[in-house]
Each structure stands twice: as structure tokens, then as C-alpha cells.
Amino acid sequence: MRMIISFSALFLSVILLQLSSGGLGPMDALSGLTLGFTTGQIGLLGSAHFLGFFIGCWWAPRLMGSVGHSRAFAVFTAMGAIGIIGHFIIVDPTAWAVMRIASGLCVAGCFTVVEAWLQSKVTNETRGRAMGTYRVVDMVASLAAQLVISVLSPAEYVSYNILALICCAAILPLTLTTSQQPKTPEAPRLRPALAWSRSPLAVAGVIVAALSSASFRMVGPVYGAEVGLATSQIAWFLAAFVLGGAIAQYPVGWLADKFDRRWVLIWLSAAATISCATTVILGGSTTTIMLNAAFFGFTAFPIYSVAAAHANDFATSEERVELSAALMFFFAVGAIGAPLFASRLIQAFGPEALFILIAAGHALLIVFGLSRMLARPTVEHRTRYVYAPRTSFTIGRITRRQREKPTRVEEAESNTDEKPT
């Protein structure tokens, strides 16, 4: 409890930031439909967000070094608030795309500050509990953010003002904290070739994870509207995906620690493909759509973490931070292109094209995974599975030591061996 209280300012800022930025994506999609934007233009908004996210990941550590943690957080939050408020000053899809770049900068920059602060404050004894609490806070806030559109009306000035107010409120807990600001960590070098050299399958996995997550969360509201879901139902449709992903973390982590992670990736992709096919073929009732969204989240959401764990199996301790940044780079590249491409397909072939695209991506990952098993038959060393949030390039600093602990299966076997006979 003392640990939670000591980090309460950080966690409260994360909650408010998630509510504002996480709610903006679906709000923009539904507002765009209301205002007559094309499906392709709505996809452009999602791609612009991830472009800003990538720029923010690269820029944030350097700004922190110049002005400090609190001022950097205030700068990035102000960018996010300005981007939200500006929506109804200029109602134009191109202008909104520029504003969404600002929202992406806000998310990446603020999470970089939070995670750098968190990393500097935890000790070896509190690291696991701090990260566990951080994961829960991030997941719950992300889930709540998807439900924002159920209480706010699309294409309303007041709705965007409320999101901007929540974003501004995120400044207060962290900037008013009396805790001493930590030293600015050195920005990790961005070496995409490192990830490819350690595991081509992991790179493919994070790109497919980006295809699944970014296209679903940014273009999913368009799919929901075109198949006849009400606004409140679209909110639950998006929330079901996040909830399914949250539930999957422990069982998938146990499987990834016990079995060959390549098989876990392959079977997750196979299940995600089945989920997409079921959504396309059955469609139909709201209940079926919701259940398929939850199952899709259960199968697709953990793929990034499994792929990251597989890549870390071939990395040294000194490489883990840069490897995490490299994987985030490939995720950002996939996430920039996915919403725009998915929206174009929906515009040309109908809403089912969203899940056909995602299924095709997972099918390719299955084929590539099987080919990599022939190229590299065995994996000699295994690190611990860790849920890896796609929040900033600095997340690798927090998770590095957790990966070097014994796996869950090894701990269970050790505890069994220690029991008296």
C-alpha cells in the first residue's frame, strides 16, 4: 500500500491520460462518420496518431534531458489538449490528421516521462509489484477509455471539451508531486536491425500485432457503425477487445513459459484467424459480435508480448533495452500503415474487409513461423514472459530485470522440489 501511495501521482496521471487520448480515437471515428468524412479519411486520422506516437517516442527523452521530467510532461500534455480542442475550430479531415499527430506526441511523450520516473523509483524488491500495479492501472484505464463514447455524443463541441479537460487534468498529479525528479535516463539507440538479427519471427509478430490492434481500435468504430451497432454498443465492442486481451495475459504467459514460443505464436494466430473468419461469416447478432471481439482480443492482444519474449531469448542483458526500442519501432511502422490501409479496404469492399485483412496478416505469420522453425529448430535459452505495454521506447528499462527471473514454470517446479516428501 505504501508503494501504491508513493506512485499515486504517476498512476493518476496515467488514468487521466488514457481516458482522454484513448477516448479520442473512437470519438474521432464516429464524429467523422457524422460529419461526412470518407472511411479512408477516418483511417488517415488513426495513422496520423501513430506517426505522432513514433515521433514522440524518439523526441521525449531528449526533451526530458533539456527541461526535466515535469516540464516535459506538461509540454506533451498541452500538445494533446491543443490537438483535442482544435477539432471544432477547423472541421476538416486533413486538419484533424495534423491534430492527431499532436495526440500521438502527447501519448508517447507522457508515457516516456511516467515510465522513466517509475524506473528510477523502483527497487529490486518493489519492481514486480510496481509493474503489476502499473499494468493493472494501464489496462483498466484503457478499458474505461473505450466506454467514453457511450456517454459522450460524437461531433459535439462539448464532448471534445470534456476530453480536453481530462487531458489537462493529467498535468496536475505529476507536476504537483513533491517527489524529487529523477535523473534523466540516456535515450536508447534505435537499432531496428538488432531485432531482425535476433529474431525475424519476433519482428513479424509485432508488425502483425500492430496490424490487429491499430486497425481494430482506430477503424473498428467504422465497422461497428456499418454493421448497425449503436454508439453505446460500439463502445462495448471496443472494450470487449481490450477485456479479452487483459484476461489472456496470465494463461498465455504460462503457455509461453512452458512451451516453444513459436508454437504459441502460431496457435494464437490460428485462433485469431478463426475469430476473424467467424466474425465475417456469422456477423449477425450483437451478442455474437461482442463475443467474437472478446475472443479476438484474447488471441491477438498477447502476440506482441509473446514475440518480445521470443526475441529476448536470443539477446544479452545489455541488449534488452535497445531490443525493446527496436521492436517498438516495428510496431509503430505497422501501426502507422494499418488504419489507413484497412479503411481503404472497407471503403472499397465493405466492413468485413477489416477482418479479412487482419486474418490475412495472421495467416502469413503462421506460414512465416513454420518456416522459421525449420531454419532454427530449437531454442536453448528462455527468458521470462513479461507483458510488454506498447507505450514508449523506455519500457525495456523496466522489464529488463523481470525477464531475467526464472520462468513461472521453473518457479513452480522449484517449489515442488522443495516440498518435503
Side-chain angles (χ1 to χ4, degrees), residues 13-377:
S13 290
V14 168
I15 291 170
L16 295 171
L17 181 67
Q18 279 281 31
L19 287 175
S20 60
S21 63
L24 180 61
M27 178 63 69
D28 267 1
L30 295 179
S31 296
L33 289 174
T34 303
L35 295 170
F37 294 0
T38 67
T39 304
Q41 289 169 336
I42 293 172
L44 176 63
L45 303 182
S47 295
H49 171 87
F50 285 105
L51 175 60
F53 173 83
F54 174 74
I55 296 171
C57 283
W58 177 84
W59 182 37
R62 291 155 180 82
L63 183 63
M64 287 163 54
S66 300
V67 302
H69 289 65
S70 294
R71 288 180 178 176
F73 190 88
V75 167
F76 284 117
T77 310
M79 286 182 177
I82 291 169
I84 295 172
I85 293 172
H87 275 65
F88 271 81
I89 296 176
I90 306 175
V91 181
D92 176 80
T94 304
W96 279 27
V98 174
M99 296 171 197
R100 288 300 299 276
I101 292 176
S103 75
L105 278 165
C106 170
V107 172
C110 289
F111 272 104
T112 300
V113 173
V114 167
E115 288 165 4
W117 207 311
L118 186 64
Q119 161 66 14
S120 69
K121 297 298 183 182
V122 297
T123 64
N124 289 337
E125 291 74 25
T126 62
R127 187 180 306 275
R129 284 171 289 163
M131 273 304 293
T133 306
Y134 178 56
R135 285 193 292 265
V136 170
V137 168
D138 181 57
M139 281 282 194
V140 172
S142 180
L143 180 64
Q146 309 309 308
L147 301 176
V148 165
I149 59 173
S150 66
V151 294
L152 298 179
S153 301
E156 291 285 345
Y157 183 73
V158 172
S159 298
Y160 282 88
N161 264 8
I162 291 173
L163 290 177
L165 288 173
I166 297 172
C167 186
C168 291
I171 300 176
L172 302 178
L174 193 141
T175 53
L176 293 177
T177 181
T178 57
S179 299
Q180 184 177 1
Q181 293 190 54
K183 294 181 180 179
T184 302
E186 184 181 353
R189 289 184 300 167
L190 189 54
R191 297 169 55 197
L194 174 65
W196 182 262
S197 67
R198 295 298 173 266
S199 175
L201 178 59
V203 171
V206 298
I207 292 174
V208 171
L211 172 68
S212 301
S213 179
S215 58
F216 183 90
R217 297 179 74 167
M218 295 298 173
V219 189
V222 176
Y223 169 87
E226 294 207 6
V227 298
L229 296 180
T231 300
S232 60
Q233 292 172 327
I234 293 173
W236 284 106
F237 173 66
L238 299 174
F241 171 80
V242 178
L243 180 61
I247 294 172
Q249 291 306 319
Y250 186 84
V252 170
W254 183 85
L255 290 171
D257 281 344
K258 186 173 179 61
F259 300 104
D260 189 325
R261 284 166 182 167
R262 295 170 296 183
W263 279 117
V264 176
L265 278 174
I266 289 169
W267 284 110
L268 283 174
S269 277
T273 303
I274 292 171
S275 172
C276 292
T278 304
T279 302
V280 171
I281 294 170
L282 296 181
S285 69
T286 301
T287 302
T288 302
I289 293 174
M290 297 297 177
L291 290 175
N292 280 331
F295 182 58
F296 175 61
F298 188 94
T299 57
F301 205 92
I303 284 179
Y304 182 93
S305 296
V306 177
H310 180 63
N312 276 274
D313 290 344
F314 305 100
T316 64
S317 178
E318 293 75 20
E319 292 174 333
R320 299 202 195 285
V321 174
E322 292 183 356
L323 177 61
S324 174
L327 292 174
M328 281 288 296
F329 166 80
F330 284 108
F331 180 86
V333 169
I336 290 170
L340 182 59
F341 189 42
S343 64
R344 297 287 187 185
L345 289 177
I346 289 177
Q347 188 170 324
F349 303 105
E352 293 81 9
L354 171 63
F355 288 99
I356 294 174
L357 170 65
I358 295 172
H362 284 281
L364 290 174
L365 182 60
I366 293 171
V367 174
F368 189 61
L370 293 172
S371 70
R372 289 303 303 167
M373 293 187 75
L374 295 175
R376 183 186 277 167

